[in-house]
Structure formats: structure tokens, C-alpha cells
């Protein structure tokens, strides 16, 4: 037998894992140790190229990695142990799958000879995570490990991005085998996502766009995922065509909120002008969005008079909820580039002055208006003041889930992509704080703010401890209404105002809690004190928990009620009890 | 529109259902069948019949044949959802291609004596079913054909002493010289 002791590619499975991370340019990974991953932790200890961030709960590692990925465009990497470590990751994996976030999660597993024996801390990780990953692998042979790890990175980051899991039994981590650096043949031949759009379809789309009288561009997270170039091309396309543009929750920032063609977000809590424009348009260009049910409202009444063009890298997103006329399968950036080129060469921008006049009338309804209050802080006002105070600064925003999330989307203006991290598809309370940790790890000198709710923030509040340990000066800006506001809103609208368990009694003293963790706690009760306190928060170079006491019973408008179409929105000034009752008629609403 | 209180739009769709046979070429690796089945159960699609076997052992390829029902939009979804799974090479809708042959094999056990036994044997002959096991009071028939033919044969055997049936499910292949 050949002497392999000097072959640098001979190493243990555990060493291969760290080596593969380095080969893929990973600088940070988020994790939590346990019996089944100790060999890997031992390797991590003995090197300095990859920095490990110790979280306080595996779900936090997952969301931190998501925040890291979304704010950088690079994959987020997670390391957790078998059994409970793996099951704690399930929420974050599902979240990443729904929002198409590239994650590579390595899980430890019990030794191969114990698999299936109900061994200590054994669970069927690949079985449990199969429906919540883009793909997963159980590696039973150390000589397969390098190939699987490289494939894992490729699958997570290519095509429609998503989370992957590599489950590595402990004996495979100890075993010695041959490592090889990433190479093309590491990838399943059956997997080859399509990047370039079909030229004939692109021509058809251009012809349709050039003939439009009432066009709209509707974009989503796909534009962000495609990379910065896609956002640049999108902006140029809007400039060249002069078309109005709206976006989903996931797509905010691809086109700047200060841009003159911006209609605001669309959908259930989108602006009146965005939804009316969608409803009445004659040509719709959907780029990297998926006609989700929060967007379309009632599908049989969704934009009834329009021809629809849909660009998406995932063929399964096309014709899933809404039938489209011109599907284009490909990467958003790539297709936008081609579309722009053909449009410039062959089409003239149509005259849509009348359409803009119509849109101006809808805008004049001022659907995000709210009445001012000098005594209590209104949550919308708090977001507006936060936005003003951070305008022009190098800021990243994450959120939890609830009313505060919608207000953040409505009132915080995003100028750039990758600046807005929110759990859209899964709607995971507890996402924002660990996501902020991940963002801050990637951008240590930036201002990172989690716009939080009093209920959501308690789901992963222990990650404050992570922020303190790694000196991550995140800001947790809680819109504290002492309610699960979004649940209460639905109970008011749909369940006869019976507020069943949506009141959070016995809230902690957030200021003391912050101090107990070693963060700074601030509390504000009055509108007059808000600006000063925000300024103070920004100036503090340590993690801050900001308890912003807001009006308890404020609700989030405008709103498309269930079973209604885009042109049946409920506007804030109309949202009297009677109007609300009739808007929700048919339900048991407010009887 | 009368819908109960819900955060979702509860719509009923009334498109008619269609039955389609899909041929799916997959990498034969651990868990691949679980992925396919999980997709169907997880997304609420129907499986009327499913067969799977390795077809090219050198290349580790297996062929899965699935008969499913759904509205045209759902059938299209199923194909895309299958196609985007990492170990799936290709998905062909045999029903849409319109040029495919579908076959199923069934083993049918019938117990009886006298006239019933004679009649069973005569019908088996008419259906080109073969006797693959016999005792003085029973037969096991092997029959191959499309599902309708097999259903018909089983129905005819019922009054003649049908004991049990084992079916392989549908396998399908395209006509002509081209592969999938
Ligand atoms: C993990 C999880 N559990 C339950 C829900 C359902 N849910 C959606 S919003 C919400 C209330 C959120 O309350 P809070 O964080 O205080 O935000 P607010 O709506 O008051 O701004 C709940 C319980 C969820 N989205 N996620
Ligand atoms: Mg709240």
C-alpha cells in the first residue's frame, strides 16, 4: 500500500468539513455544540480562518445565518448537533426555504452503526428536514464527504437559492479519507437550473410592454436574490420605460423608495395606489415574485384585464396561482438585461400619461395616513421617526412578525437591496433578533436595527447574550403595544372582538432585562421624547433594547379583507366599525 | 362571497380533474422515493398508482411511473415540482405526449369448483390471462394489460370466487424509436 501519511488531502471527516468551509470562502459560521459534533468543534478550535459564533439556541443560529446571507448575498453556514440540535433548526430551515435563502447546515448524527436504534440524541434528521430543505444528504462514507459538501454549497446558492442539510455521523467525522477541493463533477448531473431566458419569449414580452397603455412592474425577492446587478438593471428598466413599479414585502429596496415611479408595497397591507394599479393594469411584468396569496387577494378577481409576463428562475412558480401569458424561465438579472437590451433596440416607450394621472388620483387618497397624536406614540410615527433619524446612514433593518413588521414595510423607505431582512413566507416570530446578530457579524460597522414586537422578541430574546459576547451593537427597537397586535386585529375584524389570548400580560421589564444581559435598556413613553431617545440609541456603540411604548389598540391599514379583490381595499379613514363590518361581511365579523 | 372568518382566502375551484401518467427518471440514491412520495403527500396531490424500479444499474437510474389526478393547473405544478427536485433527471407526461403504452400486471386468485371454475378458466382464456398456480379448488391467473382491462377482468372474477388481487401498478413507455 502506498504511504499516504504525507498526502495533504488525507484527513478526518471533521477536518474535511472545516477545510471545505475555507475552500468555499466561509468566514463565519453560526452554531451550537453537542456530543455528535465535538470532532468538528475540535477542528474549529485549532484554526483561525473560520470564525464560529456561538448562539444561545439553534433556531437563533439558523436565523442569524439567514440574516448574514441576505445582507451579503453569500450563503449562511450553520453547525448543530444531532437530535434536539437538528430539530431546533427546523423552523429556520423552513423559513429559509420559503424565502429562498441560501443556507448550508451541517448536523451531527449518531455513529452509523447506531442509526435506526433510537440511540441517545438520535433523530431522523434527513427525514425530518426533507420537506424543509432544497436538498439534504446523510453521509455514510468519509470518502463521499468532500463531494457532498461541495455539492451542498452549489445547490444552496445556485438556481432558486435555499437551505440544505448535510448530516454527518460521528464515526464519519473521526474516519480518515481523501479530500478534494471543489470541482464541477461534484454536482448531480440531474441538477442544472436555467439562467438565460428564451429569446423568443423575451421578444414577445417587449412587444407587449411597448403596446401597454396601463403597465405595471411587480417585483419580488427574486430580484434581490439574483444579486446587485439585477437591482441596477431593474432601475434602468424603470428609467427607460417610465413604468410604475411596486414590490412584494420580500423585494423592498430593489427599486428605491424615493424613486419617482415607486408605488409602495402591494398586497394585503400594501398601498391603495399599488393595489389599484395592479387591478386596473393592462400589462403586468412580474419579476422574481410568485403571486403569493398575501399579494393576489381573491385570485379570480386578480388583475382581471391584464396580460401577464412572469420572469422566474423556478418553473414551478409559474402558473401556480395565477395563469400568465408570457412565462420566461431564467435568472431575474440575466433576463432583465436581455429585456432591457431588446426594449432599447426595438421598442419605443409607450405614452402612459393618462395612466400616471389615474395613479396620481389613487395616490391622493393617501392610504398610509394616520391621525397624529401628541400624547401617545403611534407606531407608524415611531417608524417614521426612526427612518428620519437613520436616513443616509449605513443601516440594515430586520423585523419580527406582526403589525410592527407591516408598519416597518410601509413607513421605512428602503433605498438599496440587501438592507431589509424579514420573514415573509413563513412569518416566523423570533426571526428578527437573531437575524440582526447575523447581519451585524457580516457588517460590524453598520447600524443594524431589529424592528420588533413585544411578543415576537421574546421568542429568541436570549440571543441578546450572543450580541453581548461578540460585541455586536445591534439595536432592538420594540414597538411595544402590549398585545399580539396582529392577532388582535384579526380577532377584532373577524371574531367579534373576542380577544382570546392575544394580550401579553406580565410583560418583562425590558429595560431591566436588557441590563441583565449586559445590553443597554431605553424606554420611551411620550412622542416628545422619541427623537432624542432614538438619537441616543444610535450613538450607543453597544447592543441596545429600546422599549418604545406605543398606542395599544392601533391597527394596520390599508388592508385587503379576506375574500376580496385589490379594488376592495379598506382604507384607514374608512375603517370605521360599520365599514369594517360590511367589508368583512359573510364572516362572523363584528356582529 | 360567503366565507367564514379566516386569514386565508377560501376559494373553491371547479376545474375538472384529469388523470395523467408521468414517467420520472431519477438518480437511484437513498431517500429518493421518499422525496417523491413526500412531495405528493406534502402538497396534497393524488397518487393513483406508483411503480418504481432501477432501470439502468450502471448509471444508477430508476424510473418512477406515477398515475395522478388533478386539474390541469395542478398537473402542471406536479410536473414542475418533480422536475426541480435535485435527483430528478426528467419528467415526461405520457398522457400529454399521447403516444405511450401503459401496462400493468396483476395476479388474481380465484377459488371455486364446478361451473364457476370452468367459467373462470374460459374468461381467463378470453383475456389472455395465464394460469401460474393451480390447486383442485383454486387458480392464480397472471394478466397483463392496461388498467381498464385488468379492472374488467377482476370484476368478472368477483362472482366466480375472487379471493385476492396483487397488482404492480402502471408502467408506461413511449411509442416509436425515441427514448425519454
Ligand atoms: C412562531 C409564530 N407563532 C405564532 C405566530 C402568529 N402570529 C402572527 S403575528 C403574532 C403577534 C405578534 O405580536 P407582536 O410581536 O407583539 O407584534 P405586533 O403585531 O403587536 O406588532 C402572532 C402570534 C407567528 N407568526 N409565528
Ligand atoms: Mg405587540
Amino acid at each position: 500500500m502506498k504511504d499516504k501519511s504525507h498526502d495533504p488531502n488525507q484527513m478526518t471527516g471533521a477536518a474535511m468539513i472545516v477545510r471545505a468551509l475555507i475552500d468555499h470562502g466561509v468566514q463565519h459560521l453560526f452554531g451550537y455544540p453537542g456530543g455528535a459534533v465535538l470532532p468538528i468543534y475540535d477542528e474549529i478550535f485549532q484554526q483561525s480562518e473560520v470564525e464560529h459564533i456561538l448562539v444561545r439556541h439553534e433556531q437563533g443560529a439558523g436565523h442569524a445565518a439567514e440574516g448574514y446571507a441576505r445582507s451579503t448575498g453569500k450563503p449562511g453556514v450553520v453547525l448543530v448537533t444531532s437530535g434536539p440540535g437538528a430539530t431546533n433548526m427546523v423552523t429556520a430551515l423552513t423559513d429559509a426555504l420559503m424565502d429562498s435563502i441560501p443556507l448550508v447546515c451541517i448536523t451531527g448524527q449518531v455513529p452509523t452503526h447506531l442509526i435506526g436504534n433510537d440511540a441517545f440524541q438520535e433523530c431522523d434528521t434527513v427525514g425530518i428536514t426533507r420537506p424543509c430543505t432544497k436538498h439534504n444528504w446523510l453521509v455514510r462514507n468519509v470518502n463521499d464527504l468532500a463531494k457532498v459538501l461541495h455539492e451542498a454549497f452549489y445547490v444552496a446558492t445556485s438556481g432558486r437559492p435555499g437551505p440544505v442539510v448535510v448530516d454527518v455521523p460521528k464515526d464519519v467525522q473521526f474516519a480518515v479519507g481523501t479530500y478534494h477541493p471543489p470541482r464541477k463533477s461534484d454536482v448531480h448531473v440531474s441538477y442544472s437550473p436555467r439562467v438565460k431566458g428564451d429569446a423568443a419569449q423575451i421578444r414577445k414580452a417587449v412587444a407587449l410592454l411597448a403596446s401597454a397603455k396601463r403597465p405595471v412592474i411587480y417585483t419580488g425577492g427574486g430580484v434581490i436574490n439574483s444579486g446587485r446587478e439585477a437591482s441596477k438593471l431593474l432601475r434602468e428598466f424603470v428609467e427607460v420605460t417610465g413604468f410604475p413599479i411596486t414590490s412584494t414585502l420580500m423585494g423592498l429596496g430593489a427599486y428605491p423608495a424615493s424613486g419617482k415611479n415607486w408605488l409602495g408595497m402591494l398586497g394585503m397591507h400594501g398601498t391603495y395606489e399599488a393595489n389599484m394599479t395592479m387591478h386596473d393594469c393592462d400589462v403586468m411584468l412580474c419579476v422574481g415574485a410568485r403571486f403569493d396569496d398575501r399579494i393576489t387577494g381573491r385570485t379570480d378577481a386578480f388583475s382581471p384585464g391584464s396580460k401577464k409576463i412572469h420572469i422566474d428562475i423556478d418553473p414551478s412558480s409559474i402558473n401556480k396561482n395565477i395563469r400568465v401569458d408570457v412565462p420566461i424561465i431564467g435568472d431575474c438579472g440575466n433576463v432583465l438585461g436581455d429585456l432591457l437590451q431588446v426594449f432599447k433596440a426595438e421598442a419605443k416607450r409607450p405614452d402612459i400619461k393618462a395612466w400616471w394621472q389615474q395613479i396620481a388620483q389613487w395616490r391622493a387618497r393617501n392610504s398610509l395616513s394616520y391621525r397624529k397624536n401628541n400624547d401617545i406614540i403611534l407606531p407608524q410615527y415611531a417608524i417614521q421617526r426612526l427612518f428620519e433619524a437613520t436616513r443616509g446612514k449605513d443601516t440594515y433593518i430586520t423585523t419580527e412578525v406582526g403589525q410592527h413588521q407591516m408598519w416597518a414595510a410601509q413607513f421605512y423607505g428602503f433605498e438599496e437591496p440587501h438592507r431589509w431582512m424579514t420573514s415573509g413566507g413563513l412569518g416566523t416570530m423570533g426571526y428578527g433578533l437573531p437575524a440582526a446578530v447575523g447581519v451585524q457579524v457580516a457588517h460590524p460597522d453598520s447600524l443594524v436595527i431589529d424592528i420588533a414586537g413585544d411578543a415576537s422578541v421574546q421568542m429568541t430574546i436570549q440571543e441578546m447574550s450572543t450580541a453581548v459576547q461578540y460585541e455586536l451593537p445591534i439595536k432592538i427597537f420594540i414597538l411595544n403595544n402590549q398585545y399580539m397586535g396582529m392577532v388582535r386585529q384579526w380577532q377584532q375584524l373577524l371574531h367579534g372582538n373576542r380577544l382570546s389570548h392575544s394580550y401579553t400580560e406580565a410583560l418583562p421589564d425590558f429595560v431591566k432585562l436588557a441590563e441583565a444581559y449586559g445590553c443597554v435598556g431605553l424606554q420611551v413613553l411620550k412622542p416628545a421624547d422619541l427623537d432624542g431617545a432614538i438619537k441616543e440609541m444610535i450613538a450607543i456603540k453597544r447592543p441596545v433594547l429600546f422599549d418604545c411604548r406605543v398606542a395599544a389598540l392601533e391597527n394596520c391599514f390599508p388592508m385587503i379583507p379576506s375574500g376580496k379583490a385589490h379594488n376592495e381595499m379598506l382604507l384607514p379613514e374608512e375603517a370605521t366599525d360599520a365599514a369594517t363590518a360590511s367589508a368583512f361581511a359573510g364572516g362572523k365579523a363584528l356582529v | 362571497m360567503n366565507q367564514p372568518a379566516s386569514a386565508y382566502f377560501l376559494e373553491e375551484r371547479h376545474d375538472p380533474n384529469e388523470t395523467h401518467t408521468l414517467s420520472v427518471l431519477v438518480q437511484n440514491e437513498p431517500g429518493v422515493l421518499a422525496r417523491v412520495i413526500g412531495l405528493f403527500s406534502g402538497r396534497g396531490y393524488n397518487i393513483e398508482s406508483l411503480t418504481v424500479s432501477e432501470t439502468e444499474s450502471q448509471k444508477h437510474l430508476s424510473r418512477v411511473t406515477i398515475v395522478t389526478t388533478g386539474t390541469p393547473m395542478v398537473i402542471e405544478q406536479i410536473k414542475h415540482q418533480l422536475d426541480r427536485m435535485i435527483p430528478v433527471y426528467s419528467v415526461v407526461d405520457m398522457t400529454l405526449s399521447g403516444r405511450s403504452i401503459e401496462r400493468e400486471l396483476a395476479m388474481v386468485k380465484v377459488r371455486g369448483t364446478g361451473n364457476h371454475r370452468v367459467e373462470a378458466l374460459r374468461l381467463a382464456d378470453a383475456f389472455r390471462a395465464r394460469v401460474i398456480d393451480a390447486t383442485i379448488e383454486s387458480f392464480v391467473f397472471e394478466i397483463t394489460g392496461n388498467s381498464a382491462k385488468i379492472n374488467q377482468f377482476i370484476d368478472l372474477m368477483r362472482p366466480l370466487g375472487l379471493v385476492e388481487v396483487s397488482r404492480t401498478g402502471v408502467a408506461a413507455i413511449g411509442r416509436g424509436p425515441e427514448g425519454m
Side-chain angles (χ1 to χ4, degrees):
Chain A
M1 211 176 117
K2 208 173 84 192
D3 177 21
K4 287 186 168 177
S5 58
H6 297 299
D7 182 347
N9 283 331
Q10 289 296 303
M11 60 182 87
T12 64
M16 282 185 200
I17 289 172
V18 175
R19 180 71 177 275
L21 298 186
I22 295 168
D23 282 354
H24 286 276
V26 175
Q27 290 167 303
H28 298 98
L29 87 153
F30 302 87
Y32 207 90
V37 284
L38 287 182
I40 307 171
Y41 271 86
D42 201 31
E43 289 294 332
I44 290 173
F45 187 85
Q46 299 175 51
Q47 55 84 53
S48 55
E49 282 176 82
V50 184
E51 190 189 352
H52 176 274
I53 309 291
L54 176 70
V55 295
R56 298 299 181 266
H57 184 296
E58 288 86 352
Q59 183 190 351
H63 295 321
E66 285 187 90
Y68 188 91
R70 277 201 208 193
S71 65
T72 59
K74 296 192 283 191
V77 182
V78 177
L79 174 62
V80 296
T81 194
S82 65
T87 56
N88 274 348
M89 265 301 290
V90 166
T91 301
L93 290 169
T94 311
D95 192 271
L97 185 71
M98 293 287 270
D99 285 347
S100 310
I101 310 301
L103 289 193
V104 175
C105 172
I106 293 158
T107 53
Q109 182 55 279
V110 301
T112 39
H113 70 275
L114 287 179
I115 290 178
N117 273 359
D118 300 323
F120 177 61
Q121 292 196 327
E122 179 187 358
C123 73
D124 176 7
T125 301
V126 285
I128 290 169
T129 62
R130 199 174 284 129
C132 61
T133 52
K134 184 171 170 186
H135 198 62
N136 62 12
W137 297 260
L138 168 65
V139 184
R140 288 173 174 273
N141 182 335
V142 69
N143 287 312
D144 295 336
L145 187 55
K147 177 178 160 46
V148 167
L149 289 167
H150 301 325
E151 186 175 21
F153 272 91
Y154 181 72
V155 169
T157 52
S158 61
R160 179 174 179 175
V164 298
V165 165
V166 182
D167 197 25
V168 189
K170 195 168 178 181
D171 54 329
V172 175
Q173 299 170 30
F174 278 127
V176 175
T178 311
Y179 178 82
H180 66 261
R183 58 186 184 209
K184 259 217 165 78
S185 60
D186 289 329
V187 178
H188 268 83
V189 257
S190 51
Y191 175 65
S192 55
R194 176 164 188 166
V195 174
K196 195 151 179 63
D198 181 76
Q201 291 292 91
I202 290 174
R203 288 230 140 65
K204 260 198 221 164
V206 168
L208 212 53
L209 291 164
S211 70
K213 294 195 170 58
R214 302 185 309 279
V216 66
I217 302 171
Y218 142 51
T219 65
V223 180
I224 314 270
N225 278 336
S226 174
R228 279 169 213 283
E229 185 61 17
S231 296
K232 249 173 62 194
L233 289 163
L234 176 71
R235 290 164 187 220
E236 196 185 338
F237 189 76
V238 173
E239 193 60 41
V240 167
T241 57
F243 290 174
I245 175 167
T246 176
S247 154
T248 66
L249 183 72
M250 298 303 296
L252 297 177
Y255 184 82
S258 62
K260 65 180 189 327
N261 295 29
W262 179 238
L263 302 176
M265 180 175 77
L266 81 161
M268 182 172 275
H269 291 293
T271 66
Y272 184 66
E273 54 269 36
N275 285 329
M276 289 303 287
T277 304
M278 288 289 282
H279 186 268
D280 282 7
C281 69
D282 67 347
V283 176
M284 178 188 298
L285 173 64
C286 168
V287 192
R290 56 187 177 91
F291 297 94
D292 159 271
D293 59 85
R294 303 290 101 163
I295 292 303
T296 57
R298 192 174 154 178
T299 48
D300 59 357
F302 174 73
S303 192
S306 64
K307 291 263 188 245
K308 300 173 185 75
I309 303 160
H310 187 183
I311 303 171
D312 206 294
I313 198 157
D314 180 2
S316 77
S317 288
I318 289 174
N319 290 337
K320 180 161 66 179
N321 306 320
I322 298 289
R323 263 219 174 270
V324 299
D325 303 279
V326 184
I328 305 175
I329 295 162
D331 168 66
C332 290
N334 199 296
V335 176
L336 273 174
D338 288 349
L339 202 65
L340 191 62
Q341 207 184 3
V342 177
F343 192 94
K344 278 193 200 159
E346 299 178 7
K348 248 186 52 212
R349 118 194 225 162
D351 177 8
I352 55 165
K353 251 194 244 94
W355 182 226
W356 274 116
Q357 277 161 12
Q358 170 63 69
I359 291 171
Q361 283 176 26
W362 291 325
R363 269 185 176 152
R365 296 289 293 270
N366 209 356
S367 63
L368 294 181
S369 64
Y370 58 90
R371 66 215 179 307
K372 304 279 178 285
N373 192 316
N374 292 330
D375 303 319
I376 352 173
I377 301 174
L378 289 173
Q380 301 93 321
Y381 176 75
I383 304 280
Q384 275 183 320
R385 296 317 301 163
L386 183 70
F387 174 51
E388 290 304 331
T390 57
R391 202 193 262 273
K393 288 197 163 61
D394 174 19
T395 311
Y396 293 83
I397 301 289
T398 71
T399 76
E400 309 292 338
V401 170
Q403 292 178 321
H404 63 276
Q405 175 190 30
M406 292 299 118
W407 282 316
Q410 291 174 335
F411 290 93
Y412 199 98
F414 293 93
E415 293 296 305
E416 294 298 330
H418 302 287
R419 297 281 169 165
W420 162 244
M421 270 61 51
T422 193
S423 170
L426 196 63
T428 310
M429 291 170 70
Y431 169 86
L433 202 172
V437 166
V439 174
Q440 190 85 73
V441 167
H443 309 277
D445 301 321
S446 306
L447 177 60
V448 182
I449 305 173
D450 170 27
I451 296 179
D454 46 289
S456 297
V457 77
Q458 293 188 73
M459 291 217 168
T460 49
I461 193 120
Q462 68 276 18
E463 300 307 335
M464 276 204 289
S465 175
T466 309
V468 170
Q469 178 180 346
Y470 294 93
E471 298 179 13
L472 303 168
I474 60 167
K475 314 294 181 235
I476 305 158
F477 190 81
I478 305 177
L479 291 183
N480 185 352
N481 54 7
Q482 306 181 51
Y483 272 103
M484 297 173 201
M486 192 55 97
V487 172
R488 187 210 59 225
Q489 176 164 349
W490 284 91
Q491 289 173 336
Q492 289 174 298
L493 297 176
L494 292 168
H495 295 277
N497 205 21
R498 288 178 295 278
L499 306 188
S500 181
H501 301 273
S502 52
Y503 178 64
T504 36
E505 260 175 294
L507 275 178
D509 178 332
F510 282 115
V511 172
K512 278 197 192 143
L513 185 64
E515 286 162 0
Y517 273 111
C519 301
V520 177
L522 298 175
Q523 189 186 54
V524 176
L525 303 165
K526 295 275 161 229
D529 301 331
L530 185 59
D531 283 355
I534 290 176
K535 218 170 139 196
E536 187 185 348
M537 170 185 89
I538 294 171
I540 297 171
K541 298 297 173 225
R542 288 169 54 201
V544 179
L545 191 85
F546 191 112
D547 181 12
C548 184
R549 292 299 179 100
V550 297
L553 291 171
E554 191 66 12
N555 279 340
C556 189
F557 289 105
M559 176 175 191
I560 305 177
S562 321
K564 300 282 173 173
H566 276 172
N567 60 348
E568 299 173 285
M569 278 203 102
L570 205 56
L571 295 181
E573 80 272 15
E574 295 167 343
T576 58
D577 284 358
T580 310
S582 82
F584 285 84
K588 291 176 278 178
L590 298 172
V591 278
Chain B
M1 176 154 161
N2 260 2
Q3 82 157 45
S6 169
Y8 295 91
F9 308 114
L10 308 175
E11 279 177 62
E12 282 176 46
R13 298 214 163 144
H14 299 288
D15 291 351
N17 275 351
E18 295 177 358
T19 300
H20 285 237
T21 304
L22 309 178
S23 285
V24 189
L25 217 54
V26 300
Q27 182 79 29
N28 187 11
E29 60 184 27
V32 67
L33 190 59
R35 281 181 211 285
V36 171
I37 293 172
L39 174 72
F40 277 75
S41 65
R43 292 186 182 262
Y45 305 144
N46 298 312
I47 299 182
E48 307 263 293
S49 157
L50 179 136
T51 66
V52 56
S53 185
E54 191 166 72
T55 49
E56 282 185 66
S57 61
Q58 295 287 282
K59 291 196 216 153
H60 298 291
L61 285 185
S62 288
R63 184 167 175 136
V64 184
T65 309
I66 305 167
V67 181
T68 183
T69 56
T71 62
M73 227 158 145
V74 167
I75 302 272
E76 194 183 328
Q77 259 301 295
I78 293 174
K79 289 185 276 186
H80 288 316
Q81 292 291 352
L82 283 168
D83 210 13
R84 76 178 187 147
M85 291 180 10
I86 309 293
V88 168
Y89 282 87
S90 60
V91 181
V92 174
D93 187 331
M94 303 308 261
T95 306
L96 265 196
S97 78
R99 282 168 47 80
S100 69
I101 309 162
E102 296 182 11
R103 288 292 180 272
E104 210 184 329
L105 183 146
M107 290 182 277
V108 181
K109 186 177 284 185
V110 183
R111 180 178 196 161
T113 52
N115 275 348
H116 278 179
R117 186 172 163 85
V118 176
E119 186 58 25
L121 205 55
R122 272 203 0 224
L123 283 167
D125 197 40
F127 275 78
R128 297 214 179 90
R130 293 198 301 137
V131 175
I132 53 173
D133 178 69
T135 67
I136 29 180
E137 49 164 346
S138 72
F139 286 119
V140 175
F141 298 114
E142 175 197 312
I143 177 171
T144 317
N146 63 32
S147 304
K149 173 180 163 185
I150 290 172
N151 289 342
Q152 199 188 358
F153 183 69
I154 292 167
D155 284 346
L156 287 169
M157 288 300 120
R158 198 158 280 128
L160 303 178
L162 181 72
V163 177
E164 64 178 348
V165 179
S166 173
R167 297 171 75 148
T168 57
V170 174
I173 201 161
R175 290 180 190 276
E178 307 302 333
M180 81 176 261

